Amino acid sequence: MERKPRTRRRSIVDIFDLVNSSQQEDFRIVTKSGNTTVKLANNPSSKKFFYPNIFISVVELESAWICLIFLTCFLLSWFTFALLYFVVAEANGDFVPTDGETIPCVEDVHNFLEMFQFSMETQTTIGYGTRYVTDECPTAIILVVIQSILGVLILTAITGVILFKFQSPKRRAHTVLFSKFACVYEEDDVYFIEIQILNMQRSQLIDPKVAALCIMNREDGSGKCRLDMEFNPCHESSRLFFRPKVFRHLIDKSSPFWDFNRKDFLKGDYEIIVVVEGVDEFTDSFVHARTSYLPSEVKWSRHFKQMTAARKGNIFKLNFNDFTRTKRSYDMTDDSASVASRRSSVEKNDDNEIQMSEFVNGDTYQYQ
């Protein structure tokens, strides 16, 4: 009986080969998650920008670095004041055995570890128990006052940083979902680019506004240029974000895509950056979300389907599967918006000439 050859088990080398052989994502200035890939080269010393605005600079750090910074601040302040208390107590002779008549600067402290615990209790205001500062050492009393004020400042700073960190517009931006594709479609001989945006959180966005810009190469080959785009809601504007909204850009003479046909849209060198801004109704905090679309993420002659809603009792449920679905516009050609506009103008002029000719000849046809 012929034995089948044994198959080799997949190893970690195969996984790395799979990752290396995978096709890399096309270069973009703004990633789909909203992060930018632009970095400054040969920039001045970062100290000139970090220290004058140290609070915002700390807020922009990663959460792990923020925890490490404030943990270091607390431990360093406790240790520093414990050392100062220990020096004052040593100078007063608190650690020298006596007959009990000498009053120490800090009561019930016999070594540096207990002094460190006293320093922590002073700064965190969880004391005092058996350890306290007596009135025999004015220097120790002054240190207690200074440490109490410094402790309040450190606690206020860390509270403010954590509050700003959790209320950052980028954190709320993760609950704002953009459509994976942008669609180009025609309606009454007018071209549009449309995207769909969905608020995934129950708290609504009040007065959402969408802005966009296009980054593309100049025609003279001198580099990239930035062109502003205007996106308006497809239906009647609402100050709330109860359901998915479709925003569209009118391709007219002021649009950067006025002369783009189907091939230019699908094979061009451009990037559409979309930004949505609003205010959260619960926290009243500012929300800022963004994404981008490359030519491979633009669909020609398609537009988004409306998400179906099913009522169950007093609740309306939206089918999330409809968020990514599009339908085809069969009447749309492969021409650009400029060509379609000229063709429409010629057809209207021809119709007007026919109507005028029939009117002059006395025909009784009625045109709607």
Side-chain angles (χ1 to χ4, degrees), residues 81-342:
F81 280 96
L83 184 61
L84 294 176
Y85 289 133
F86 187 82
V87 172
V88 172
E90 184 71 25
N92 191 53
D94 293 353
F95 304 116
V96 178
T98 59
D99 53 1
E101 296 180 357
T102 304
I103 301 176
C105 291
V106 182
E107 189 69 36
D108 197 21
V109 172
H110 306 93
N111 50 49
F112 182 78
L113 183 60
E114 293 180 354
M115 192 66 76
F116 180 83
Q117 184 177 359
F118 168 77
S119 176
M120 181 189 64
E121 294 174 354
T122 301
Q123 185 165 328
T124 56
T125 65
I126 61 175
Y128 292 93
T130 58
R131 300 186 182 93
Y132 57 90
V133 176
T134 62
D135 55 0
E136 291 295 322
C137 295
T139 305
I141 296 176
I142 294 175
L143 288 177
V144 169
V145 173
I146 295 175
Q147 186 177 11
S148 300
I149 297 174
L150 183 63
V152 172
L153 293 177
I154 295 177
L155 188 60
T156 303
I158 189 173
T159 303
V161 169
I162 293 176
L163 181 63
F164 275 87
K165 192 70 174 178
F166 279 100
Q167 289 187 347
S168 174
K170 291 184 179 180
R171 290 191 174 274
R172 181 62 169 85
H174 292 294
T175 61
V176 178
L177 184 62
F178 292 90
S179 59
K180 186 177 180 181
F181 298 97
C183 296
V184 181
Y185 76 102
E186 178 187 7
E187 181 178 323
D188 297 331
D189 296 326
V190 180
Y191 283 28
F192 295 94
I193 301 176
E194 68 175 15
I195 59 173
Q196 190 167 210
I197 304 176
L198 174 63
N199 177 34
M200 299 290 291
Q201 198 154 334
R202 296 185 63 181
S203 60
Q204 300 300 317
L205 290 183
I206 301 176
D207 197 14
K209 297 180 181 179
V210 175
L213 58 91
C214 177
I215 307 295
M216 63 172 55
N217 289 326
R218 294 187 176 93
E219 296 180 357
D220 56 1
S222 58
K224 292 185 177 295
C225 63
R226 163 186 162 176
L227 302 171
D228 293 331
M229 300 175 59
E230 183 178 355
F231 274 86
N232 297 312
C234 184
H235 302 288
E236 183 179 357
S237 179
S238 174
R239 293 180 60 87
L240 296 179
F241 217 148
F242 283 111
R243 60 181 302 162
K245 281 191 174 184
V246 175
F247 293 86
R248 62 186 185 182
H249 164 71
L250 173 62
I251 304 180
D252 54 9
K253 293 182 179 180
S254 61
S255 172
F257 301 101
W258 175 243
D259 295 321
F260 272 49
N261 55 24
R262 179 176 182 176
K263 182 179 179 181
D264 295 331
F265 267 105
L266 302 182
K267 302 296 183 181
D269 185 10
Y270 62 89
E271 179 180 355
I272 302 175
I273 301 174
V274 181
V275 179
V276 59
E277 297 177 346
V279 178
D280 189 89
E281 65 172 344
F282 285 172
T283 62
D284 199 26
S285 59
F286 179 71
V287 180
H288 177 95
R290 59 194 175 193
T291 189
S292 66
Y293 297 94
L294 295 178
S296 59
E297 298 166 343
V298 176
K299 290 188 175 182
W300 180 268
S301 185
R302 305 193 71 88
H303 60 98
F304 292 101
K305 296 179 63 176
Q306 187 175 4
M307 294 183 69
T308 57
R311 181 176 178 179
K312 292 187 177 181
N314 296 327
I315 300 176
F316 285 94
K317 291 186 176 181
L318 295 174
N319 187 3
F320 182 76
N321 293 330
D322 295 339
F323 181 73
T324 57
R325 291 179 180 175
T326 59
K327 54 184 179 181
R328 184 174 180 81
S329 177
Y330 293 96
D331 298 334
M332 188 173 179
T333 64
D334 294 343
D335 298 328
S336 63
S338 60
V339 174
S341 178
R342 289 193 296 268

Side-chain angles (χ1 to χ4, degrees), residues 23-38:
Q23 184 177 2
Q24 294 183 355
E25 185 182 8
D26 295 333
F27 173 77
R28 62 176 79 225
I29 297 177
V30 176
T31 63
K32 298 297 288 185
S33 59
N35 298 321
T36 59
T37 59
V38 178

